[in-house]
Amino acid sequence: MGRSWGWPGGTGHRRRAGAVLSGALLVSACTTGQPLLAEAPAVHPTPPPPTATATPVLPDPQPIVLPRDDGPHGRLTEWWYDTGHVVTADGRHFGFEFVIFRAERGGFPVSWASHLALTDEAGGTFVYDQRTAVGPQVDHPVAGGGFDLALPALDASGAPLPGGQPWTMIGGGGHDRLTAASEAAGFGLDLTLDAGGLPALLHGQDGWVDFGPAGGSYYYSRPRLRVSGTLTLGGTALPVSGLAWFDHQWGDFIAVGGGWDWFAVDLDDGSALTLSLVRDVEGRQALAYGTLMQPDGTAVHLAAADFAVQVLDHWTSPHTGALYPAGWRLTVPGRGLVITLRPTVADQELDTRASTGVIYWEGSQVVSATRDGLPLGGQAYVELTGYASAASR
């Protein structure tokens, strides 16, 4: 993936389709309470010293070792990112997003932000909330590797909210637990995610993506995570099941070019595809790469020449004026794949300036695909960054 953030304080919002929404990008924060280079060109500064709970910084690139590298690292930017789809017993379909960002900036304390979002695919609504925190207390050490992250509920002054529950993300090795709820937005998640023995997908070159002068990023995913648990709506806990996608990315970068388009698709034959298109500050494609997971879990790395992305439609935000792509055809000719994506809800634009300093679009998709001409279903999420900043220039 690729993302780009800064953050002041956090506030929650609740919107219907046709109103402002929320999402996620790359982290950059300090304790000044203002966004830090949220939309600036990338830089590759000297890595800050690691925190007490972080993996020591070594010359890049190093091999990714799991579950050790499931945990935090002493780098400028890092995130743990879950998107997925769940269905209730009565057949209601929802998309969800839960992400925790971590940032180190020199001598400042470690900064954190989190986004929580839910799309009611049939009802055409989207709700979200966001939080921030400062300090190492969010990260609890895990013996042998993994993550145990908990963002507290704070008021506008940073004081704990009476009775407020933390948003937690605990796991490693493909076995995760997500718990988070927003009173302001009226929903909550308590989900268990299980990789079912599938290996992690290492992107780029063995998990290292080279951004050139912008630095680089370690990046792996766990697609096709089996989901079980509860979705809480209006105070009622509903049993749900489904599939999720987990991304973990870290490195010494703050922002990457002019934005990116990211696609994550779980297909019904057991395969999975992720593609990333990164733009420079002039809006030209600067980097394109992808990974295809075969049904048996083996990975095929895709260079720019191995796939194509065709935009089928556009949507203009009534809130920011940003013009976003809003429908795509993904083709991987060498694998016989053609995938068509269309948003389940048009307005899934995410205004997270209160926590990560950016506006972006991220949402669930309707999937129609074929492999070698035979029909194939699936589930997908798409993330679009940099479009709102382009509209404001």
Side-chain angles (χ1 to χ4, degrees), residues 162-263:
Q165 296 299 310
W167 291 359
T168 65
M169 185 180 291
I170 302 171
H175 306 280
D176 306 337
R177 175 80 178 274
L178 314 179
T179 57
S182 167
E183 292 184 3
F187 78 102
L189 302 173
D190 186 347
L191 303 176
T192 298
L193 281 56
D194 193 321
L198 287 174
L201 287 184
L202 305 182
H203 303 299
Q205 299 297 317
D206 296 324
W208 172 257
V209 180
D210 190 350
F211 295 148
S217 170
Y218 294 95
Y219 179 22
Y220 68 90
S221 301
R222 295 188 186 275
R224 306 197 61 80
L225 293 163
R226 297 175 298 195
V227 180
S228 61
T230 58
L231 164 63
T232 300
L233 294 174
T236 300
L238 306 172
V240 294
S241 60
L243 285 178
W245 187 292
F246 170 77
D247 270 3
H248 186 196
Q249 195 162 357
W250 67 94
D252 294 322
F253 56 90
I254 294 177
V256 179
W260 57 85
D261 300 353
W262 171 83
F263 306 87

Side-chain angles (χ1 to χ4, degrees), residues 97-109:
E97 171 196 347
F98 182 33
V99 56
I100 292 179
F101 305 108
R102 181 185 189 277
E104 291 198 11
R105 298 294 180 266
F108 291 107

Side-chain angles (χ1 to χ4, degrees), residues 130-362:
Q130 53 191 311
R131 286 185 178 183
T132 60
V134 175
Q137 73 281 355
V138 171
D139 170 31
H140 304 95
V142 178
F147 48 89
D148 185 347
L149 310 174
L151 265 74
L154 306 175
D155 64 19
S157 69
L161 284 171
Q165 296 299 310
W167 291 359
T168 65
M169 185 180 291
I170 302 171
H175 306 280
D176 306 337
R177 175 80 178 274
L178 314 179
T179 57
S182 167
E183 292 184 3
F187 78 102
L189 302 173
D190 186 347
L191 303 176
T192 298
L193 281 56
D194 193 321
L198 287 174
L201 287 184
L202 305 182
H203 303 299
Q205 299 297 317
D206 296 324
W208 172 257
V209 180
D210 190 350
F211 295 148
S217 170
Y218 294 95
Y219 179 22
Y220 68 90
S221 301
R222 295 188 186 275
R224 306 197 61 80
L225 293 163
R226 297 175 298 195
V227 180
S228 61
T230 58
L231 164 63
T232 300
L233 294 174
T236 300
L238 306 172
V240 294
S241 60
L243 285 178
W245 187 292
F246 170 77
D247 270 3
H248 186 196
Q249 195 162 357
W250 67 94
D252 294 322
F253 56 90
I254 294 177
V256 179
W260 57 85
D261 300 353
W262 171 83
F263 306 87
V265 186
D266 283 321
L267 293 169
D268 289 348
D269 66 352
S271 62
L273 174 70
T274 181
L275 303 176
S276 294
L277 309 178
V278 183
R279 302 183 300 280
D280 65 18
V281 292
E282 302 299 325
R284 298 167 300 200
Q285 183 171 296
L287 177 65
Y289 63 96
T291 308
L292 174 65
M293 186 187 78
Q294 304 281 53
D296 64 0
T298 59
V300 177
H301 296 289
L302 304 174
D306 297 326
F307 64 90
V309 177
Q310 177 187 1
V311 175
L312 302 178
D313 204 350
H314 289 84
W315 174 78
T316 300
S317 167
H319 322 292
T320 65
L323 178 65
Y324 293 95
W328 303 264
R329 181 172 292 113
L330 316 179
T331 58
V332 186
R335 300 290 164 172
L337 269 179
V338 179
I339 303 170
T340 300
L341 305 177
R342 294 193 180 278
T344 58
V345 175
D347 191 345
Q348 294 182 90
E349 185 184 37
L350 320 171
D351 186 345
T352 60
R353 286 175 290 183
S355 60
T356 51
V358 296
I359 300 169
Y360 68 99
W361 192 102
E362 180 149 5

